Amino acid sequence: YAAMVPKVRQAWSDAGNDGEPRLAALAYFALGAGAERDAHAYLTDYYAFLGAEVAQMIAASAVTDPEQVRGCLAAFTDAGCGELIMFPCSSDPAQADLLGAAVG
């Protein structure tokens, strides 16, 4: 993401746009008991159409503990991301509370 930001800003400017582009990103997460299992199951199933290798790569990128949540937020913020959408890999509503606790 960080490597893409300058290219996006340059393309924005080259297109004659004023101001700054809206920079957003999406990160998958699963927290609590079974987090890695939940993330792996959901993401490899959802992205199976891309092939096993790509689906596994995406699943491996999921954030699965509070420290990773904070690191992910910091990395995207430092890269210039204005909005990070944290997408849960589990339908358990408790994921929202776990994410809130991880963020602090």
Side-chain angles (χ1 to χ4, degrees), residues 5 14 23 29 35-36 40 54 58 60 68 76 87 91-92 94 100 102:
V5 169
D14 291 349
L23 299 174
F29 79 95
E36 290 182 14
H40 184 268
V54 173
I58 293 169
Q68 288 179 342
F76 278 101
F87 195 95
S91 61
D92 183 353

Side-chain angles (χ1 to χ4, degrees), residues 35-69:
E36 290 182 14
R37 180 195 66 235
D38 290 346
H40 184 268
Y42 173 74
L43 293 168
T44 55
D45 180 62
Y46 187 81
Y47 287 104
F49 71 97
L50 295 174
E53 184 177 345
V54 173
Q56 293 286 346
M57 182 184 68
I58 293 169
S61 74
V63 176
T64 57
D65 68 51
E67 185 175 327
Q68 288 179 342
V69 168

